[in-house]
């Protein structure tokens, strides 16, 4: 009640809009805030500095005052009010997440871009954001975040996106969980005919083979390790450096 009556409602309408719309973010910077409020033509950095000077529950995350976050209680209140505001306009909330995901992807903050893409239910964007080389480089230690999301998807949705089946299986292997991995890779392979571009199809074949080789390694199946690792190296392009590295490692281990 205090935060609502004595803090939020005491702000100008423009500042309230800024606070509500940016409450979807785990952390804020000027340009990212501007991406969420293009119609206001504001300086996001100026707004953040005003909030900090007013002691409005804004916490700086670096010495340069570039990144900030809201105090968790204040941020929760703002997001709750935002959901109430758009209770009958869910597409508005989706659009905010999509705008955030777009900016974050363009600036190579892939984990945060993934979270907002998932919140916006934009599957093509999710698939692009969790592209094959990005998870090893940027999601290290965050496999659980992705796995929790995969588990919420119905099989019917996964069957439409063979790339997601493969990523689901490969992340399970990364965490040491091999339950249902073979079936998930089979499902990914079954979706290969739906991929129109030859290069994309070959890339997925190579990725599936790498996952199968890794799975075989965990079961000391030397013959399958060698067959699948060689198949992966046959199909993966030179640009897939990380995945090719895994295939070479399994081949060497065999």
């Amino acid at each position: 009640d205090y935060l609502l009556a004595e803090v939020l409602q005491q702000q100008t309408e423009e500042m309230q809009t800024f606070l509500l719309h940016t409450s979807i973010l785990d952390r804020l910077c000027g340009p990212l805030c501007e991406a969420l409020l293009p119609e206001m033509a504001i300086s996001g950095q100026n707004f953040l500095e005003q909030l900090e000077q007013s002691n409005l529950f804004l916490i700086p995350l670096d010495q340069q005052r570039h990144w900030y976050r809201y105090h968790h209680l204040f941020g929760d209140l703002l997001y709750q009010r935002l959901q109430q505001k758009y209770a009958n306009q869910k597409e508005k909330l989706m659009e905010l997440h999509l705008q955030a995901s777009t900016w974050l992807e363009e600036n190579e903050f892939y984990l945060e871009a993934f979270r907002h893409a998932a919140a916006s239910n934009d599957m093509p964007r999710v698939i692009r954001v969790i592209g094959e080389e990005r998870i090893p480089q940027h999601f290290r230690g965050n496999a659980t975040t992705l796995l929790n999301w995969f588990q919420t998807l119905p099989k019917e949705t996964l069957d439409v996106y063979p790339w997601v089946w493969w990523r689901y299986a490969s992340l399970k292997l990364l965490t040491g969980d091999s339950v249902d991995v073979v079936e998930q890779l089979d499902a990914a392979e079954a979706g290969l005919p739906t991929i129109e571009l030859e290069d994309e199809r070959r890339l997925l074949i190579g990725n599936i083979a790498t996952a199968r080789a890794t799975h075989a390694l965990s079961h000391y199946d030397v013959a399958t390790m060698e067959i699948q690792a060689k198949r992966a190296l046959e199909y993966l392009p030179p640009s897939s450096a990380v995945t090719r590295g895994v295939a070479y490692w399994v081949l060497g281990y065999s």
Side-chain angles (χ1 to χ4, degrees):
D1 290 343
Y2 164 76
L3 289 173
L4 184 61
E6 301 296 329
V7 179
L8 181 60
Q9 292 177 353
Q10 300 304 313
Q11 306 305 311
T12 64
E13 184 176 339
E14 188 177 44
M15 181 61 82
Q16 287 188 44
T17 299
F18 178 91
L19 289 167
L20 292 178
H21 283 215
T22 57
S23 68
I24 68 168
L25 303 171
D26 292 328
R27 57 182 185 143
L28 310 86
C29 71
L32 176 53
C33 294
E34 292 166 14
L36 297 185
L37 296 156
E39 69 283 353
M40 288 178 61
I42 62 168
S43 167
Q45 186 64 32
N46 286 346
F47 266 69
L48 291 171
E49 289 174 1
Q50 287 178 41
L51 289 172
E52 185 182 13
Q53 290 164 9
S54 302
N55 294 317
L56 267 183
F57 304 98
L58 190 70
I59 300 169
L61 299 178
D62 56 40
Q63 297 278 346
Q64 294 75 32
R65 297 304 203 264
H66 182 67
W67 287 100
Y68 296 84
R69 71 168 176 84
Y70 291 123
H71 184 285
H72 293 309
L73 286 176
F74 189 49
D76 289 346
L77 167 72
L78 294 175
Y79 190 62
Q80 183 184 42
R81 299 294 293 181
L82 179 69
Q83 289 177 306
Q84 292 172 357
K85 178 179 180 179
Y86 292 134
N88 298 318
Q89 297 175 283
K90 296 294 186 183
E91 68 280 358
K92 291 282 189 180
L93 202 54
M94 300 289 188
E95 183 181 347
L96 277 176
H97 282 294
L98 185 59
Q99 289 169 323
S101 181
T102 300
W103 188 93
L104 289 162
E105 182 187 2
E106 289 173 353
N107 289 274
E108 300 184 357
F109 299 108
Y110 295 118
L111 179 60
E112 292 160 288
F114 155 75
R115 287 174 175 157
H116 288 289
S120 70
N121 291 327
D122 188 333
M123 285 296 291
R125 172 173 291 278
V126 170
I127 293 168
R128 185 173 67 254
V129 169
I130 60 174
E132 58 139 353
E133 297 294 289
R134 290 172 173 174
I135 284 181
Q137 295 173 11
H138 300 279
F139 285 16
R140 191 174 291 112
N142 292 292
T144 303
T145 300
L146 284 169
L147 286 172
N148 289 340
W149 176 72
F150 287 136
Q151 289 165 4
T152 68
L153 299 176
K155 182 179 181 299
E156 295 74 21
T157 299
L158 287 162
D159 284 341
V160 177
Y161 300 100
W163 277 101
V164 179
W165 269 128
W166 161 72
R167 177 56 75 199
Y168 192 179
S170 62
L171 278 175
K172 287 181 71 174
L173 287 173
L174 184 65
T175 60
D177 180 5
S178 61
V179 177
D180 297 329
V181 162
V182 172
E183 291 78 7
Q184 290 167 340
L185 292 173
D186 288 344
E189 207 154 66
L192 285 170
T194 65
I195 300 176
E196 297 180 1
L197 297 177
E198 176 67 17
D199 288 347
E200 286 189 17
R201 189 162 55 249
R202 288 183 62 85
L203 180 59
L204 182 54
I205 291 171
N207 282 319
I208 292 171
T210 303
R212 290 193 189 280
T214 305
H215 179 265
L217 172 59
S218 67
H219 291 78
Y220 300 100
D221 181 352
V222 177
T224 302
M225 288 164 60
E226 185 172 353
I227 291 169
Q228 294 296 336
K230 287 181 176 178
R231 177 176 171 81
L233 293 169
E234 177 187 352
Y235 280 90
L236 290 171
S239 59
S240 296
V242 173
T243 315
R244 287 181 66 87
V246 173
Y248 273 120
W249 172 70
V250 174
L251 185 60
Y253 205 97
S254 72

